[in-house]
Amino acid sequence: MTARVGVVTFPGSLDDRDAARAVRRAGGEPVALWHADGDLHGVDAVVLPGGFSYGDYLRCGAIARFAPVMGSVISAAGDGLPVLGICNGFQILCESHLLPGALTRNRHLHFRNRDQRLRVETTATAWTGGFAERALITVPVKNGEGCYVADSATLQRLEADRRIVARYVEGNPNGSLHDIAGIANDRGNVVGLMPHPEHAVDPLTGPSEDGLAFFASVLRHLVGTPA
Amino acid sequence: MARVVVEIMLKPEILDPAGQAVSRALPSMGVEGVTSVRIGKRVVIDFDGAPDLDRAREIADRLLANPVIEDFTVQVQ
Amino acid sequence: MARVVVEIMLKPEILDPAGQAVSRALPSMGVEGVTSVRIGKRVVIDFDGAPDLDRAREIADRLLANPVIEDFTVQVQ
Amino acid sequence: MTHDTVEIAAKEGHLEQPYAELGLKTDEYDKIVGILGRRPTATELAMYSIMWSEHCSYKSSKVHLRQFGDKAPASDRMLVGMGANAGVVDIGDGLAVTFKVESHNHPSFVEPYQGAATGVGGIVRDILTMGARPIAVMDSLRFGDADAPDTARALPGIVAGIGGYGNCLGLPNIGGELVFDPTYAGNPLVNALCVGVMPVNRIQHSAAEGTGNVVVLLGAKTGRDGIGGVSVLASATFDSVGGPARRPSVQVGDPFTEKLLIECCLELFDQELVTGIQDLGGAGLTCATTETAAAGRSGMHVELHRVPLREASMEPPEILASESQERMLAIVTPAALPAVLSIAAKWEVDATAIGEVTDTGRLVIDWHGETVVDVPPASLADEGPVYERPMRRPADLDLLQATDPSTLPRPSSAVELRATLLKMVASPNLCDKTWVTEQYDRYVQGSTVLAQPEDSGMIRLDEDSGLGIAISTDGNGRHTRLDPYAGAQLALAEAYRNVAVTGATPIAVTNCLNFGSPEDPEVMWQFAEAVRGLADGCRTLGTPVTGGNVSFYNSTGLAPINPTPVVGVLGVIDDVTRRVPMGFPAAGRILLLGETAEEFGGSEWAWVQHRHLGGRPPVVDLSREQALASVLAEGARRGLLGAAHDLSDGGLAQVLVESCLRGRVGARITLPDGADPFVWLFSESAGRVVVAVPQGAGSTFTDLCVGARLPWTAIGEAGGESLAVAGVLDVPLAELRTAHEGTLPSLFG
Ligand SMILES: Nc1ncnc2c1ncn2[C@@H]1O[C@H](COP(=O)(O)OP(=O)(O)O)[C@@H](O)[C@H]1O
Ligand SMILES: [Mg+2]
């Protein structure tokens, strides 16, 4: 049976349909989850998609973190449920303290949408197992607050534990420390990514198909893990 | 070293989407009894010489705030 | 009706690009002698009951500020 | 306080009223008294002053805009024509598309970020009102000189505002324009376009019909922001100092609330719960209530005190004039009301029943039991004043057309031509626009097939069939200044061509007419000529005007801006996988379609090299444009095109540079024997396109050209690391890229 991957829609989520399309293209079954519903409907993994939850006026992800669905996501993540936060989803994961550090205003103060070169730094997560070691990929970035910051102790730990999932190469689009584009929790089931793999699943509408492997990876991971 | 603080708030009649989003979120956090939330800017300017209020006021008026939609106050600290 | 003001500033060790942009723009406006500009938030919360400092502090700590990057103060007005 | 009620107004009879301060002329005031058979109440007077303002009543432009309807080519695609919030065209497969461009020039000058942001919000609600899901936006921006202080003040905020609102709504930005010219100093033009799609059977109407039906206000609370915005902002000339003549109030946009409003309304439409819907934009509730009641030939009874307010102290005229954003007015049956309210609650959208539809033929508005308004709605919505403004051909036009650029010194040596090329591609109007377009989300919704810097934006509508649409917006104030009739047609031709080069077939037109003061006879003449040119052009091309917008009172100091009609053309393509990009492929024959004449009037070269504006604009040949479009559509359908890019500002040289840089490949060009390199490289003759044809497909494609009597010239091959024009220049791509891409970042950081 195909894995069921939940895609959460918060008020202001924008890339939820694109994330669902990516799951489908990778061979999974997308399941729509609603912010106000604490029930995860037995999904095997969860994607927190990009967008501007609640407008992101105060601080990106600050309000979404309190949505009923997040309570369930946080506890399920503790039990090893694979969770991928993309852009706004990454911000929500940091605000929820599922991931360390914070995403702050881009150094140049502009929203920036460009096709970005990345290096996948670890295949030891639920969402990157399908990549070749140190794979170079092209995936769009589009954010105004994508500059990753954390204190030096945290950064050292992320480096030492190989929890930096992807790094910007050929130019850092927002000033992120250590060129960080994505990180994982220590268990590797929770991953936050600033770039948008769901926008790189079809050459007709994106710069590449490189993003597909994130979604294919979690499906492979799920097959490997007994239900 | 002198410090000047400029406080900028949207005019009362102007919509404050950020404040509105916060006050709407509060009940779901179990916080009741809040009638309004307004979110503005607090700008802290350090001068190496004496605090220059007029200059700070000029900065606020020309660079930090748009008098069409915002009010501001300037204080030495 | 009671009013509580929460002031939120980025921690000193966190870079403030918006503040830097302002200080970089100042010389071109003929403003000299500014050593630093930091831009934070000023949140004005109105309660219908008595001013509830603890509650305001809780709102600030859980929602308004992100302790990872920001410091805040809470005062009744 | 006591309110001025209908009762008082009727009893008390004549009273000195501040109609002049509200912008009404004496004869207009007398007309109101005539309509009502008494003096208007204070609230009624405010409503008439807003609805009869230039912005709402189109009183100066109406008599000319009629041509768009009168001359409209027969088109079985038109489902909803001019006059609605936006026209609707049938694109097959049971789908309909609606699109429209609108100006927010003056608010964007006063508050760049919020002015531009609310401009996007407003046009998106226009599209939503038709029943469509908004699927993309575009923005046409014009500023003073790139290095002017006011440009540095306004541009970053305006771009950030367009991005801030559109990105937060989840609408991909797929194209636009960025033009610099001193004519727009202190009066930037901010024109926003939105396109939406819907099942044909979901088209909504903005009529209040069905006696007893409920009038529901959806969305944001009503506040004091933007009061008088329409009459003051949109209809008052800015004084010569550059500041607004009257300090207007500006609205702050809330894209998050708009996003929820969109999802809420679409669910209401899908469940067929509304009988009528109208967005609240300029003139707020005044406009929405009068227009829906007038359209329904019904009456309406509104209890104004039910309107949710941000400030309790607001008075009836303020509530009716407020331009608070993110609001819609829905007409629903009493039976549907509960379902409507629960869907609104699901989306956290405020919904309030504020009145009901009546059969009285009157719009009656009560305020806490007192009647403050009792008017025939059509008298506000449709029967406003109409002016035949005096017109005069500009006194300086003959002289301007006589000062032909043929006398200007030209580059001739290889060295001069190379220097000219590098200077041109780096000039503000021809340089790379990435600094702007990077601030816009092009990927959201996952259906963007083409976006900037391509000639058109293209969106896939159906993932299975591949059905899609393409849109381009274009305008040229210099051409229109030199000849308004031709200038408008050149803008139309360029947008039409930009759609055609992608492989799509142009089917419909929208427009935003940015002009000076209609009270200036010379401006009025420019306006009349431009409208006539556009209407004639649309008839010839068979592409009806489906809607648009007029922005008068654009001037820098005392001088009106160059007349600037911005034209948007919509095209359809039945399979987006057949799209043709602008970047050269690694190999292929390069052909120039069309004919090159010596045409430098209003050209970018004359401006960049000599700050010269004079002569006549390029000749328009609409049948040539049609031939081009048919050949390109057929070539794309049969997969004969590796690339296509249309020629406009900057001519052939500009297009070769853009297609090389975009394709990351060089080109070896050989101009025909005896060709003057300067004219061939920089002339701006219309009706031309550069295409790259795969080896082998060449003759098949040129046969198409011959069949369509379309002249073509083989000018070279794609390949290599540089752009080489035999015997003239050879510039490495890296050098071209540095010149082309460095300009905006160095200007704006
Ligand atoms: N303000 C803007 N917003 C979005 N796209 C823009 C803007 N300005 C320019 N562009 C894009 O940059 C590219 C080049 O613009 P332009 O030279 O005017 O195109 P064309 O000459 O084909 O009309 C086009 O794809 C256009 O859509
Ligand atoms: Mg073009």
Side-chain angles (χ1 to χ4, degrees):
Chain A
M1 65 129 226
T2 64
R4 301 170 69 247
V5 180
V7 177
V8 178
T9 297
F10 298 96
S13 291
L14 303 178
D15 300 312
D16 42 353
R17 289 190 296 146
D18 302 348
R21 185 190 294 110
V23 167
R24 211 176 300 114
R25 284 184 84 93
E29 179 196 340
V31 177
L33 301 178
W34 185 244
H35 67 101
D37 180 359
D39 181 352
L40 296 185
H41 300 277
V43 295
D44 308 304
V46 167
V47 175
L48 305 180
F52 291 74
S53 52
Y54 301 89
D56 278 350
Y57 296 132
L58 171 70
R59 214 173 49 254
C60 300
I63 294 177
R65 156 200 175 185
F66 294 100
V69 73
M70 282 312 294
S72 316
V73 169
I74 290 169
S75 59
D79 304 336
L81 182 82
V83 177
L84 173 65
I86 302 169
C87 196
N88 195 222
F90 186 7
Q91 293 160 337
I92 294 168
L93 290 175
C94 289
E95 287 283 338
S96 317
H97 308 302
L98 280 175
L99 293 174
L103 292 143
T104 60
R105 191 102 181 261
N106 293 352
R107 285 293 151 88
H108 45 72
L109 301 174
H110 300 301
F111 183 96
R112 180 164 286 170
N113 179 184
R114 64 164 58 157
D115 300 339
Q116 178 67 43
R117 291 289 278 173
L118 303 174
R119 188 173 55 238
V120 179
E121 296 285 29
T122 172
T123 57
T125 80
W127 299 90
T128 54
F131 281 99
E133 288 299 328
R134 302 178 65 73
L136 286 175
I137 61 175
T138 302
V139 171
V141 286
K142 43 170 215 181
N143 60 69
E145 306 198 2
C147 176
Y148 183 81
V149 300
D151 57 53
S152 49
T154 306
L155 288 167
Q156 273 166 25
R157 209 169 343 104
L158 290 172
E159 293 281 5
D161 303 349
R162 310 260 340 261
R163 284 167 53 191
I164 293 170
V165 172
R167 247 187 262 268
Y168 301 116
V169 293
E170 298 169 28
N172 179 330
N174 49 33
S176 277
L177 299 178
H178 294 219
D179 295 326
I180 286 173
I183 59 172
N185 64 348
D186 45 16
R187 228 169 128 169
N189 62 306
V190 178
V191 167
L193 274 181
M194 249 309 131
H196 288 258
E198 80 282 16
H199 290 319
V201 298
D202 176 356
L204 181 70
T205 53
S208 73
E209 280 178 311
D210 297 347
L212 215 46
F214 287 93
F215 303 93
S217 295
V218 79
L219 299 182
R220 212 178 67 164
H221 168 88
L222 289 168
V223 175
T225 49
Chain B
M1 222 280 315
R3 168 163 295 185
V4 174
V5 175
V6 181
E7 294 177 347
I8 304 163
M9 303 297 291
L10 285 163
K11 290 180 189 285
E13 69 271 20
I14 299 282
L15 172 72
D16 175 3
Q20 181 179 287
V22 168
S23 40
R24 285 191 174 190
L26 291 177
S28 66
M29 295 173 54
V31 179
E32 303 295 340
V34 169
T35 54
S36 135
V37 177
R38 306 278 295 177
I39 301 182
K41 293 200 209 87
R42 180 165 185 274
V43 185
V44 179
I45 307 175
D46 290 339
F47 293 86
D48 55 10
D52 188 333
L53 261 187
D54 300 343
R55 192 170 284 180
R57 208 167 276 116
E58 185 201 344
I59 298 172
D61 190 49
R62 286 176 54 195
L63 194 60
L64 300 175
N66 180 350
V68 178
I69 54 172
E70 295 169 316
D71 298 326
F72 63 87
T73 65
V74 179
Q75 313 135 5
V76 183
Q77 263 198 356
Chain C
M1 222 275 319
R3 171 163 295 185
V4 174
V5 176
V6 180
E7 292 177 349
I8 305 162
M9 301 299 291
L10 284 167
K11 289 184 194 280
E13 65 269 25
I14 302 282
L15 190 80
D16 175 5
Q20 285 182 334
V22 169
S23 25
R24 260 187 267 106
L26 292 180
S28 64
M29 292 175 55
V31 179
E32 302 296 340
V34 168
T35 54
S36 130
V37 177
R38 305 278 295 176
I39 302 182
K41 298 195 192 93
R42 180 166 184 274
V43 186
V44 179
I45 307 174
D46 291 339
F47 293 88
D48 54 12
D52 188 334
L53 258 189
D54 300 343
R55 186 175 288 175
R57 206 168 276 114
E58 184 205 344
I59 298 172
D61 188 50
R62 287 178 59 204
L63 178 62
L64 299 179
N66 177 356
V68 176
I69 51 171
E70 296 168 320
D71 299 322
F72 66 88
T73 65
V74 181
Q75 314 133 7
V76 183
Q77 259 195 0
Chain D
M1 68 168 270
T2 65
H3 298 277
D4 185 19
T5 64
V6 169
E7 197 181 346
I8 297 171
K11 246 203 264 101
E12 177 185 79
H14 180 75
L15 171 80
E16 277 313 315
Q17 294 187 283
Y19 61 84
E21 292 79 342
L22 286 166
L24 286 165
K25 308 252 184 305
T26 304
D27 55 339
E28 293 174 344
Y29 178 77
D30 296 340
K31 185 175 171 187
I32 296 168
V33 175
I35 290 168
L36 299 178
R38 55 168 169 81
R39 72 154 175 92
T41 65
T43 308
E44 290 167 338
L45 184 63
M47 294 171 76
Y48 277 99
S49 75
I50 298 168
M51 290 303 289
W52 287 10
S53 71
E54 185 65 59
H55 184 79
C56 293
S57 69
Y58 285 80
K59 55 189 166 191
S60 304
S61 51
K62 242 190 190 132
V63 294
H64 301 284
L65 298 178
R66 286 200 187 103
Q67 294 172 71
F68 291 144
D70 301 345
K71 296 179 179 175
S75 162
D76 42 17
R77 290 184 179 274
M78 275 281 233
L79 299 175
V80 178
M82 296 241 311
N85 288 281
V88 180
V89 289
D90 185 341
I91 60 156
D93 286 12
L95 292 178
V97 168
T98 178
F99 73 129
K100 187 180 179 187
V101 57
E102 203 160 70
S103 72
H104 230 221
N105 304 343
H106 295 167
S108 303
F109 171 84
V110 176
E111 212 311 300
Y113 185 99
Q114 296 297 344
T118 52
V120 172
I123 190 63
V124 166
R125 284 190 301 279
D126 266 330
I127 295 310
L128 175 64
T129 299
M130 299 312 297
R133 170 177 283 280
I135 55 169
V137 294
M138 300 175 94
D139 59 313
S140 290
L141 307 180
R142 286 170 171 76
F143 299 92
D145 277 318
D147 54 6
D150 191 65
T151 301
R153 175 194 70 91
L155 183 143
I158 285 171
V159 170
I162 294 199
Y165 205 101
N167 295 344
C168 191
L169 276 188
L171 294 177
N173 184 308
I174 58 171
E177 297 174 275
L178 179 63
V179 175
F180 300 95
D181 189 298
T183 191
Y184 309 111
N187 194 135
L189 302 187
V190 176
N191 293 181
L193 179 147
C194 182
V195 56
V197 64
M198 72 197 108
V200 169
N201 58 18
R202 199 175 73 191
I203 296 176
Q204 302 295 313
H205 303 284
S206 54
E209 287 165 339
T211 303
N213 281 348
V214 187
V215 180
V216 179
L217 183 58
L218 294 162
K221 289 187 166 43
T222 298
R224 282 204 169 90
D225 40 4
I227 288 178
V230 163
S231 47
V232 178
L233 269 185
S235 303
T237 311
F238 283 25
D239 64 30
S240 49
V241 194
R246 276 172 283 176
R247 244 299 137 92
S249 45
V250 171
Q251 307 93 296
V252 165
D254 179 359
F256 172 61
T257 295
E258 178 122 324
K259 166 72 175 167
L260 298 181
L261 190 58
I262 291 169
E263 299 303 332
C264 171
C265 288
L266 289 172
E267 193 165 337
L268 295 177
F269 300 156
D270 283 332
Q271 301 196 16
E272 298 177 358
L273 289 170
V274 304
T275 60
I277 184 96
Q278 174 66 48
D279 64 295
L280 276 73
L285 266 175
T286 297
C287 185
T289 51
T290 53
E291 285 189 350
T292 49
R297 293 193 183 65
S298 59
M300 188 179 288
H301 180 225
V302 174
E303 296 194 320
L304 202 59
H305 46 274
R306 294 209 205 160
V307 173
L309 303 176
R310 285 213 314 273
E311 290 178 276
S313 61
M314 288 176 75
E315 296 289 325
E318 294 178 303
I319 298 166
L320 285 159
S322 165
E323 291 178 7
S324 291
Q325 301 289 293
E326 293 93 23
R327 297 180 299 165
M328 302 281 282
L329 193 75
I331 312 297
V332 312
T333 64
L337 185 60
V340 169
L341 296 181
S342 72
I343 287 173
K346 167 187 166 191
W347 289 106
E348 297 172 31
V349 167
D350 294 345
T352 315
I354 62 167
E356 67 172 18
V357 180
T358 66
D359 58 7
T360 62
R362 311 281 298 183
L363 170 63
V364 177
I365 300 179
D366 292 353
W367 175 249
H368 297 293
E370 296 174 321
T371 299
V372 293
V373 173
D374 184 348
V375 298
S379 70
L380 286 127
D382 311 324
E383 291 149 23
V386 175
Y387 294 143
E388 299 252 6
R389 299 263 192 204
M391 304 189 277
R392 190 186 340 111
R393 189 169 187 277
D396 64 356
L397 194 51
D398 291 330
L399 182 61
L400 199 59
Q401 293 181 338
T403 57
D404 187 86
S406 57
T407 58
L408 300 170
R410 304 174 169 195
S412 52
S413 73
V415 176
E416 290 168 348
L417 284 162
R418 188 183 201 277
T420 304
L421 174 77
L422 286 166
K423 182 174 183 183
M424 292 283 286
V425 297
S427 64
N429 288 340
L430 298 181
C431 71
D432 174 72
K433 308 299 196 313
T434 300
W435 186 90
V436 167
T437 60
E438 246 186 3
Q439 299 187 47
Y440 305 148
D441 182 349
R442 66 180 50 206
Y443 286 117
V444 63
Q445 290 188 12
S447 291
T448 305
V449 175
L450 293 175
Q452 49 273 20
E454 299 287 337
D455 288 311
S456 296
M458 184 180 287
I459 298 283
R460 175 185 59 192
L461 300 181
D462 185 321
E463 288 190 37
D464 305 320
S465 72
L467 178 68
I469 53 166
I471 306 186
S472 175
T473 64
D474 289 286
N476 187 317
R478 290 180 197 142
H479 289 163
T480 314
R481 175 72 170 92
L482 296 178
D483 182 341
Y485 184 90
Q489 293 200 338
L490 282 162
L492 170 65
E494 185 181 351
Y496 181 94
R497 203 183 316 127
N498 276 316
V499 166
V501 292
T502 64
T505 301
I507 58 168
V509 169
T510 184
N511 69 95
C512 185
L513 305 171
N514 305 274
F515 285 74
S517 165
E519 293 150 50
D520 173 342
E522 300 192 341
V523 168
M524 211 53 225
W525 180 85
Q526 293 173 321
F527 182 81
E529 281 298 286
V531 170
R532 193 170 64 84
L534 186 54
D536 290 349
C538 288
R539 179 173 51 190
T540 308
L541 290 176
T543 52
V545 173
T546 62
N549 168 253
V550 175
S551 172
F552 279 130
Y553 299 101
N554 295 287
S555 59
T556 54
L558 298 178
I561 61 163
N562 285 347
T564 310
V566 169
V567 180
V569 169
L570 171 76
V572 281
I573 179 166
D574 50 21
D575 179 4
V576 293
T577 63
R578 293 286 182 183
R579 79 211 178 280
V580 181
M582 67 182 267
F584 285 145
R589 286 180 66 198
I590 299 174
L591 311 182
L592 172 60
L593 313 182
E595 288 167 302
T596 303
E598 180 174 330
E599 297 183 285
F600 288 96
S603 70
E604 207 56 42
W605 172 78
W607 185 260
V608 169
Q609 203 61 277
H610 302 284
R611 296 283 280 192
H612 177 279
L613 173 59
R616 289 191 171 274
V619 171
V620 197
D621 178 348
L622 295 173
S623 56
R624 170 62 52 82
E625 303 289 351
Q626 285 177 300
L628 265 172
S630 65
V631 166
L632 289 163
E634 183 62 11
R637 205 180 53 72
R638 290 164 54 178
L640 302 175
L641 296 173
H645 193 15
D646 91 290
L647 279 71
S648 58
D649 311 357
L652 177 63
Q654 177 71 15
V655 158
L656 291 173
V657 169
E658 288 175 352
S659 291
C660 284
L661 292 179
R662 182 79 171 153
R664 301 183 172 283
V665 58
R668 310 257 148 288
I669 303 299
T670 308
L671 300 176
D673 300 342
D676 173 339
F678 167 72
V679 171
W680 270 70
L681 288 174
F682 298 106
S683 167
E684 295 185 2
S685 296
R688 297 183 301 161
V689 168
V690 158
V691 297
V693 183
Q695 308 292 0
S699 58
T700 325
F701 179 77
T702 50
D703 290 348
L704 285 180
C705 298
V706 174
R709 277 190 239 80
L710 175 64
W712 57 274
T713 316
I715 58 170
E717 304 275 331
E721 293 292 301
S722 67
L723 172 60
V725 180
V728 181
L729 48 78
D730 188 340
V731 189
L733 292 193
E735 188 177 355
L736 289 172
R737 191 175 297 280
T738 309
H740 189 50
E741 296 177 357
T743 308
L744 293 188
S746 67
L747 277 166
F748 303 109

